[in-house]
Amino acid sequence: MARTNQIQAIALCLGTLGALAGCQGNRSELPPVHLINQMDFQQRFDAQEVNEFFQTVDCAKAHNPNQCEGRAARLPLAGTVAVGQLHDDDELYRGRGPDGRLLDRLPAAIKLSTELMARGEERYNIYCQPCHDYTGGGQGVATQRGGGFSVAPKNLNDPQIRAMPLGHFFDVITNGKGTMMPYAAQIPAQDRWAISVWVRTLQVARTPEEAK
Amino acid sequence: MPAIFPRWTNNIPLAVAVLGPFALAGLVGFVWYYFSPKYTDVGYRPIQPVPFSHKLHAGDMGMDCRYCHNTVERAAVAAVPPAATCMNCHSLVKTDSPRLKLVRDSFETGETIPWVRVHQLPDFAFFDHRPHLAAGVGCSSCHGRIDQMTIVEMDQPLSMGWCLECHRNPEPNLRPVDQITNMAWDPATDGKAYDAAKDPKRKRDVNPPEHCSGCHR
């Protein structure tokens, strides 16, 4: 009799222990426990990590944001240029010719090809499609929800926009326009040109009678 | 004088002989199950400072991962996006939502949003997103169905054994390179139909490292 009670008690204990410990894959808000983790965190920083040393200065007194915002990654100071980042090719990086006007062709550094157009289509569908939709109509998914956009995206097939030079699209992506924010930080210059080409392609595809 | 060892102690050797192996097996099983990264790591899902939902943005709205994690193909890290990326839309929609207050503040002051890191390898292991994406390993192979998660959680253990399991036999996890962010790609059906060796877009065979210095540099 006592024996069965004991066994029951032990089984009960093991059962609760198991229930408390849970199963593999259970959700938890507690960080993973690594028994031996002396080398998990070493004297170096990952990207986007916090460095407490740079939080000791009060931001109001700091000479530049690098000193107080606690980023392990050091931001380049205003007015400095890293090697290879001068971007002095005005055609490629600003979309403007020697006369300072927006280009209506691709910059010399980029060649039109089917790869460029495929790249443009892919990148357009990543970065522009949420708002401007797949055809450029301006009915993207993001504009249809949560009360809708306070300013609707422009219809890229609008005659007014169709009349714009190719460089205009590059310029809008790079610097933004009106309520549309700049995308220069998200998209490298080469891809911005590829997207511009795709925007033009969409416009032409939309209006076969006007296409040349 | 009574005996030092009462009579019942005669049963101890027998009990040890019979129960010992069970206890040992139990202990081994316990460690095997509960000390595994499949238990300690999988399912980790910290509460984030902003209730950002991948299910809403990547799932329901179908946004591509690279809209926000835009460095993933160009740099080792995928990087959590800065507030400016959110403000592309949230300067126009849900502009006064209290849940987005931190994002708006961050955009104005430059102060960082304290996102909690979910996936993190120990500092002695080297990982780079680029070669994996270039080889056609999809996000979902390593991060699970992010587009169905309201709160990001770890779906895979990210242990050394897990890395090696794929490195020894990567073929079942490969897909066409333009499908890497497609969360609906199913290795069981789409993967079976796709043969990486016959894809004309692939210029070379993939060759993941299995030697120690490949990942411990």
Side-chain angles (χ1 to χ4, degrees):
Chain A
M1 209 48 222
R3 176 71 50 86
T4 44
N5 276 347
Q6 258 174 14
I7 291 175
Q8 274 169 1
I10 290 174
L12 200 70
C13 285
L14 287 178
T16 18
L17 208 69
L20 282 179
C23 300
Q24 286 186 350
N26 269 9
R27 289 184 174 138
S28 159
E29 281 153 29
L30 303 174
V33 179
H34 286 186
L35 282 186
I36 306 166
N37 71 354
Q38 294 96 324
M39 295 211 295
D40 281 16
F41 303 99
Q42 299 176 9
Q43 289 282 350
R44 70 165 171 80
F45 292 98
D46 288 351
Q48 300 192 310
E49 228 167 49
V50 170
N51 184 346
E52 274 146 24
F53 178 74
F54 294 117
Q55 283 177 327
T56 47
V57 182
D58 183 6
C59 271
K61 296 200 198 103
H63 297 296
N64 69 63
N66 263 341
Q67 291 179 335
C68 67
E69 282 176 351
R71 291 190 176 95
R74 311 280 70 210
L75 304 175
L77 295 182
T80 58
V81 177
V83 176
Q85 303 290 309
L86 184 55
H87 297 335
D88 56 351
D89 184 345
D90 268 347
E91 289 196 349
L92 180 58
Y93 291 104
R94 267 162 288 281
R96 290 179 188 275
D99 53 357
R101 306 248 312 269
L102 289 170
L103 292 181
D104 199 10
R105 55 172 173 84
L106 282 172
I110 293 182
K111 297 271 166 296
L112 186 62
S113 62
T114 41
E115 285 85 51
L116 186 76
M117 286 177 61
R119 178 82 180 169
E121 178 181 14
E122 187 194 42
R123 297 291 127 169
Y124 176 93
N125 291 346
I126 295 172
Y127 294 108
C128 319
Q129 171 274 125
C131 297
H132 287 284
D133 82 33
Y134 288 102
T135 60
Q139 307 283 310
V141 266
T143 66
Q144 309 294 310
R145 316 177 48 114
F149 272 27
S150 49
V151 178
K154 280 264 168 60
N155 181 349
L156 301 183
N157 302 311
D158 201 88
Q160 204 192 335
I161 294 182
R162 221 182 306 134
M164 291 291 183
L166 188 66
H168 177 69
F169 308 126
F170 179 84
D171 187 60
V172 171
I173 307 173
T174 310
N175 301 314
K177 173 102 197 263
T179 52
M180 181 175 143
M181 302 272 232
Y183 279 74
Q186 269 163 276
I187 315 176
Q190 280 78 0
D191 285 349
R192 276 178 255 152
W193 280 109
I195 294 176
S196 307
V197 169
W198 185 250
V199 170
R200 184 62 100 209
T201 312
L202 287 175
Q203 294 173 339
V204 174
R206 251 328 178 57
T207 54
E209 67 280 5
E210 275 163 300
K212 289 266 152 26
Chain B
M1 193 180 103
I4 299 175
F5 296 105
R7 198 159 247 290
W8 63 265
T9 51
N10 287 343
N11 293 334
I12 289 180
L14 186 69
V16 167
V18 173
L19 296 179
F22 284 106
L24 202 67
L27 189 70
V28 169
F30 182 83
V31 171
W32 174 79
Y33 191 83
Y34 286 115
F35 284 33
S36 154
K38 287 191 190 123
Y39 176 75
T40 56
D41 289 42
V42 175
Y44 172 46
R45 67 164 194 187
I47 297 300
Q48 300 289 350
V50 178
F52 171 77
S53 161
H54 279 83
K55 181 170 186 303
L56 170 66
H57 290 84
D60 299 353
M61 295 205 285
M63 288 174 71
D64 193 283
C65 313
R66 290 165 290 186
Y67 183 98
C68 293
H69 303 291
N70 58 70
T71 61
V72 72
E73 292 167 309
R74 290 183 269 137
V77 291
V80 170
T85 305
C86 312
M87 290 306 275
N88 285 339
C89 288
H90 286 295
S91 59
L92 295 163
V93 66
K94 294 270 177 197
T95 42
D96 41 15
S97 166
R99 300 190 202 166
L100 283 158
K101 184 171 183 309
L102 221 67
V103 175
R104 289 191 298 269
D105 290 353
S106 165
F107 183 65
E108 263 147 41
T109 62
E111 200 78 20
T112 47
I113 305 175
W115 298 112
V116 184
R117 184 92 187 246
V118 188
H119 302 78
Q120 184 159 31
L121 292 179
D123 281 354
F124 54 75
F126 168 87
F127 179 80
D128 188 334
H129 275 93
R130 272 170 301 184
H132 292 96
L133 299 181
V137 182
C139 312
S140 60
S141 301
C142 302
H143 295 298
R145 289 299 296 263
I146 293 273
D147 66 328
Q148 294 173 352
M149 296 179 194
T150 313
I151 305 174
V152 179
E153 67 182 54
M154 271 175 79
D155 184 72
Q156 300 292 328
L158 303 195
S159 63
M160 178 165 147
W162 172 79
C163 304
L164 285 171
E165 209 170 289
C166 176
H167 278 203
R168 289 187 180 123
N169 180 22
E171 273 75 28
N173 293 301
L174 300 182
R175 48 173 99 182
V177 178
D178 54 5
Q179 298 292 326
I180 46 173
T181 56
N182 179 0
M183 292 282 127
W185 173 275
D186 185 358
T189 55
D190 303 321
K192 283 260 156 45
Y194 173 73
D195 184 359
K198 296 212 180 77
D199 186 344
K201 287 205 193 115
R202 287 183 187 273
K203 307 261 180 321
R204 62 179 187 84
D205 289 340
V206 296
N207 184 21
E210 286 169 47
H211 51 89
C212 316
S213 54
C215 306
H216 303 290
R217 313 188 160 181

